[in-house]
């Protein structure tokens, strides 16, 4: 009989929303908590939420959140006798779990042996084959020579996946469509895997075309019990990373759920698993399921399982880690309704999903919380999103009676929880949830990437409507009317306002209606066109809600001032209006002779040197930031006259990296 473990204080070896989420459940159960933070996260919400907090190093994850000794030192310093790893970072690191065990600290997760077995994706597949769990064909060999990998890839056929055997989250994974892409994919995947997990070992896996990614939540205890808690459909992905997850899957019937659950429990028991885990499957068009991997930790998307089961999976983790049996048997687990989770990323979907960094000027998610809505976040208004960590800043989770209910609530929540200050993917998430393919439940894991290649409408940047421009002009006029620094003669009844939004600029004619308290402005889309009355009814500075009347209809939306910028939120899209200066900054024009870093990050590759001749669109160097690799391309033909970076350099956004002397036209 397993002995009980007395846990009294828990250190959360993570950051952001998962650290906050674990702290809340630990507090509910009466545990004291310790947060750890890097120098970049000193003001992060998880630090303030915990009972105690310890700085464990500089911003780089390798020197802080991945520093095993610093984490164990923090345990000794605070008296914490258990560690919850969250997800990412060291959550699936067998050496870390072993180090905790050796130090007498309870690791709230599976044994080092289980992590080790399932952490090697090739070895895990071999174990599953022995256990009778169906797997997709691939190459799992120890020979990692490029020539061997290329030969095996050609034997398997295309398309296929080059995958890191360690880690997860889509890192160290490349999709290869044809043979001439192999060499670059192998080099890139190996380098990324080595950087992220300290292990560049690769495997190959035949891609199941038009597949669905469906996973089973499993739980096992130290008493020999194991259960599954429904499935999650994670098919909506970009570059093998999940975007929207839901439970139950729109394609899984009870018999299929039972078969997948049976295999998932079989997989967990085959390795003596204990704790929370996820068995990930790829499902083909005939609804056959094949084992992909096991995540030996809590998943990012675990809240959808919690929403339909009514269970707190972190509570289950803590109870199992303390030696208690599972709270429920398989027959006692019931599922109700439908839940969907959308991951809010600070990335620009309309610029290749480039990660974004900067200050958060508005984030008040409590205004979007209604029955059936949950928002897990790790950010705060006034905080900063840095380039050092994952760009996911929040998760919006909704629950409804059925799938249509859940979709409707998700769309409303995305509308009502705007994030201002930097670009993000909220509008893309809204459009995806409302897309016919998502509504019909016919997404595939490759569909979003195909949309990107095909330049589909869902990936075209939203443009402010004419009515939004009219409202922006009226709000600017109302603000100026109360601003004593604006020098405009009281005899001037009509005047022009020049506004910019994204790359668009317009000059609108504005005239206040008769009666200084009417709040009505006659706004013309151009100085010579017919005016439209816009009546400003109210504008709440706390909620940002503006009520106005336009075309005879009263409407409401969020219009928020941040300095001289007016942010208007329309269906989760944020349009930022500024008044155009009479003296524009000519230095902002793009200069093809200066290759600037698109974001703050680490230089991964430099493909050119002094004196090289380059063509338009040629790859110059790549930057790694926030789990993404971005290439800097030549904007004009010319000759490289200077290279200011080498691989490994940390660079800031807009840093000058390469000079090119453009080729003169004849």
């Amino acid at each position: 009989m397993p002995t009980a473990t007395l846990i009294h204080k828990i250190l959360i070896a993570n950051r952001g929303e998962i650290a906050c989420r674990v702290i809340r459940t630990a507090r509910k159960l009466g545990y004291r908590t310790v947060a750890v933070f890097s120098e970049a996260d000193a003001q992060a919400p998880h630090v303030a939420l915990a009972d105690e907090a310890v700085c464990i190093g500089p911003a780089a994850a390798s020197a802080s959140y991945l520093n095993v000794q610093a984490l164990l030192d923090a345990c000794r310093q605070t008296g914490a006798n258990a560690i919850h790893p969250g997800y990412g970072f060291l959550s699936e690191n067998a050496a870390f779990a072993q180090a905790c065990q050796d130090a007498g600290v309870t690791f709230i997760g599976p044994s080092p042996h289980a992590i080790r077995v399932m952490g090697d994706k090739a070895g895990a597949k071999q174990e599953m084959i022995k256990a009778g769990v169906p797997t997709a064909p691939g190459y799992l060999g120890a020979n990692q020579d490029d020539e061997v990998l290329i030969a095996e890839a050609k034997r398997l056929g295309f398309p296929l996946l080059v995958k890191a055997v360690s880690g997860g989250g889509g890192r160290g994974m490349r999709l290869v469509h044809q043979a001439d892409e192999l060499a670059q994919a192998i080099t890139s995947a190996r380098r990324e895997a080595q950087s992220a997990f300290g292990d560049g070992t690769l495997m190959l896996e035949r891609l199941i075309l038009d597949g669905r990614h469906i996973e089973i939540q499993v739980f096992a205890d130290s008493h020999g019990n194991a259960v599954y808690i429904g499935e999650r459909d994670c098919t909506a992905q970009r570059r093998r990373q999940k975007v929207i997850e839901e439970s139950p899957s729109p394609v899984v019937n009870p018999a299929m759920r039972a078969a997948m659950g049976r295999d998932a429990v079989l997989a967990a028991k085959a390795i003596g698993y204990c704790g929370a885990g996820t068995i990930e499957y790829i499902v083909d068009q005939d609804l056959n399921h094949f084992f992909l991997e096991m995540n030996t930790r809590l998943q990012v998307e675990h809240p959808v399982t919690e929403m339909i089961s009514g269970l707190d999976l972190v509570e289950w983790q803590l109870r199992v880690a303390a030696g208690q049996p599972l709270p429920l048997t398989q027959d006692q687990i019931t599922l109700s309704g439908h839940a969907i989770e959308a991951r809010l990323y600070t990335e620009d979907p309309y610029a290749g999903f480039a990660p974004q960094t900067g200050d958060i000027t508005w984030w008040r998610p409590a205004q979007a919380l209604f029955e059936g809505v949950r928002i897990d976040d790790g950010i705060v208004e006034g905080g900063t999103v840095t380039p050092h960590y994952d760009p996911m800043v929040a998760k919006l989770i909704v629950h409804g009676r059925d799938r249509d209910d859940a979709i409707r609530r998700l769309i409303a929540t995305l509308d009502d929880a705007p994030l201002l200050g930097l670009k993000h993917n909220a509008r893309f998430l809204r459009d995806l949830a409302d897309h016919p393919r998502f509504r019909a439940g016919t997404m595939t894991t490759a569909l979003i990437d195909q949309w990107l290649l095909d330049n589909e409408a869902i990936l075209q940047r939203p443009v402010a409507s004419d009515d939004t421009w009219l409202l922006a002009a009226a709000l600017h006029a109302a603000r100026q009317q109360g601003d004593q620094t604006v020098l405009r003669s009281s005899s001037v009844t009509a005047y022009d306002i020049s506004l910019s939004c994204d790359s668009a600029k317009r000059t609108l004619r504005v005239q206040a209606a008769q009666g200084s308290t009417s709040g009505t402005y006659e706004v013309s889309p151009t100085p010579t066109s017919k005016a439209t009355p816009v009546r400003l009814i109210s504008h709440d500075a706390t909620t940002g809600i503006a009520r106005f009347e336009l075309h005879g209809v009263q409407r409401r939306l969020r219009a928020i001032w941040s300095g001289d910028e007016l942010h208007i939120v329309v269906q989760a899209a944020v349009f930022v209006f500024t008044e155009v200066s009479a003296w524009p900054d000519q230095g902002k024009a793009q200069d093809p002779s200066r290759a600037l870093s698109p974001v703050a990050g680490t230089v991964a590759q430099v493909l050119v040197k002094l004196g090289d001749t380059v063509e338009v669109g040629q790859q110059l160097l790549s930057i790694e930031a926030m789990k993404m690799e971005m290439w800097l391309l030549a904007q004009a033909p010319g000759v490289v006259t200077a290279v200011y970076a080498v691989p490994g350099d940390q660079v800031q956004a807009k840093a000058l990296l390469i000079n090119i002397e453009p080729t003169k036209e004849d």
Side-chain angles (χ1 to χ4, degrees), residues 199-269:
D199 181 2
T201 308
L202 302 175
M203 60 180 281
L204 305 175
E205 188 170 83
R206 185 75 166 87
L207 182 68
I208 293 176
L209 292 174
D210 297 327
R212 297 189 70 94
H213 183 124
I214 300 175
E215 60 191 29
I216 299 289
Q217 175 71 61
V218 293
F219 240 104
D221 61 23
S222 56
H223 300 263
N225 305 308
V227 298
Y228 68 92
I229 312 175
E231 82 281 0
R232 297 186 289 258
D233 196 313
C234 308
T235 302
Q237 299 181 9
R238 181 189 66 79
R239 294 183 69 222
R240 323 310 296 182
Q241 294 210 39
K242 300 162 188 173
V243 179
I244 289 182
E245 303 99 343
E246 59 182 314
S247 185
S249 167
V251 301
V252 172
N253 58 39
M256 183 178 174
R257 180 176 299 115
M260 296 175 75
R262 179 193 63 237
D263 285 344
V265 169
L266 184 65
K269 287 188 171 182

Side-chain angles (χ1 to χ4, degrees), residues 88-169:
F89 292 137
L90 293 168
S91 62
E92 294 181 284
N93 187 298
F96 178 51
Q98 186 65 56
C100 290
Q101 191 176 96
D102 294 343
V105 175
T106 299
F107 180 78
I108 301 174
S111 68
H113 167 73
I115 297 174
R116 196 172 292 113
V117 171
M118 285 304 189
D120 180 339
K121 292 186 178 68
K125 287 187 71 173
Q126 291 168 341
E127 289 293 325
M128 293 304 99
I129 292 170
K130 292 178 188 176
V133 178
T135 64
Y139 171 70
L140 312 174
N143 192 326
Q144 291 288 297
D145 291 345
D146 285 10
E147 296 77 10
V148 172
L149 291 173
I150 290 172
E152 290 294 331
K154 291 178 178 178
R155 178 184 63 81
L156 286 169
F158 301 94
L160 59 77
L161 292 172
V162 177
K163 299 174 65 174
V165 301
S166 299

